[in-house]
């Protein structure tokens, strides 16, 4: 095979309708373009779980609607939470990426000697040999790196348990790969308790901010024990590559 047909591994983001649609969904939810912000949020399709992350993709808020278990089976909650978190992280990355500073304009400079379009056969024999050896060395180094990764022992998966024991996060190679839960324990916990447990779980695993370290909203006096007050205080039930979930 000619050397010019060999490509070393690189990042390849496919430009296809599915990818473009997903990018639009992340950066223009509901048709409204998102601008860079301090926080980004995502909700599950039913609107029961909302996860907020900051620009560094750390979880800062978790909100779970009251009586969520009436619309979502307890065994399905961990996967819904994990996928909502992944969407929030992807949204933060996509919006920041879409508005990244562009490199200064201007005509490109002359290509480096290795990037020249001169055919190798037209080069002096010494330069031909040097360039060929350099490219072969680069290919060998890449293949060696691939072999080392294949021969390396598998990365261990660690488990992080939430303080109240509702959920367990599985972490491998520096990232969460799944969230599991006990359906019996998740039978009908309140949204407040579960949201707080989730927030502590992400903080314990290194992917969130501890709830106690976040600024608290200003309190307002209650005017009575009516439904409106209950709805208001329900608002304070906020603390704040898909994997295998269950």
């Amino acid at each position: 095979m000619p050397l010019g047909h060999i490509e070393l591994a690189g990042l390849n983001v496919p430009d296809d309708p599915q990818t473009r649609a997903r990018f639009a969904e992340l950066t223009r939810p509901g048709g409204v373009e998102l601008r860079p912000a301090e926080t980004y949020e995502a909700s599950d399709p039913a609107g029961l779980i909302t996860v907020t992350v900051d620009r560094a993709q750390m979880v800062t808020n978790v909100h779970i609607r009251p009586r969520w278990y009436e619309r979502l089976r307890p065994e399905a909650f961990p996967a819904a939470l994990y996928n909502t978190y992944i969407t929030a992280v992807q949204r933060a990355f996509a919006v920041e990426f879409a508005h990244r500073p562009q490199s200064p304009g201007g005509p490109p400079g002359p290509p480096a000697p290795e990037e020249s379009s001169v055919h190798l056969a037209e080069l002096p024999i010494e330069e031909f040999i040097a360039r060929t050896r350099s490219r072969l060395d680069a290919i060998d180094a890449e293949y060696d790196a691939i072999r080392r990764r294949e021969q390396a022992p598998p990365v261990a998966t660690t488990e992080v348990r939430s303080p109240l024991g509702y959920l367990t996060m599985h972490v491998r190679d520096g990232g969460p790969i799944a969230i599991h839960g006990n359906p019996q324990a998740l039978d009908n916990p309140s949204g407040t308790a579960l949201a707080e447990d989730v927030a502590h779980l992400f903080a314990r695993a290194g992917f969130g901010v501890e709830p106690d370290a976040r600024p608290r909203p200003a309190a307002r006096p209650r005017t009575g024990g009516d439904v409106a007050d209950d709805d208001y205080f329900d608002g304070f039930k906020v603390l704040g590559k898909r994997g295998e979930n269950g």
Side-chain angles (χ1 to χ4, degrees), residues 114 127-140:
E114 289 74 16
E127 187 172 353
F128 171 84
I129 293 174
R131 290 196 184 191
T132 302
R133 180 178 294 122
S134 177
R135 298 183 71 179
L136 287 174
D137 288 346
I139 293 169
D140 286 342

Side-chain angles (χ1 to χ4, degrees), residues 7-13 142:
E7 295 183 4
L8 300 183
L11 179 63
N12 178 28
V13 179
E142 182 68 15

Side-chain angles (χ1 to χ4, degrees), residues 11-60:
L11 179 63
N12 178 28
V13 179
D15 182 18
D16 54 50
Q18 183 176 0
T19 301
R20 289 195 296 270
R22 178 58 176 166
F23 191 80
E25 179 185 349
L26 292 170
T27 58
R28 299 177 61 88
V32 179
E33 181 179 3
L34 297 180
R35 306 292 299 179
E38 293 301 318
T39 59
Y40 302 89
E41 69 177 34
S43 298
D44 69 298
L48 302 176
I49 306 168
T50 300
V51 176
T52 304
V53 300
D54 60 17
R55 302 177 90 164
Q57 298 153 29
M58 298 283 282
V59 172
T60 62

Side-chain angles (χ1 to χ4, degrees), residues 77-92:
F77 178 86
L81 170 64
Y82 179 81
N83 291 334
T84 302
Y85 162 72
I86 292 298
T87 299
V89 168
Q90 290 176 340
R91 174 159 290 141

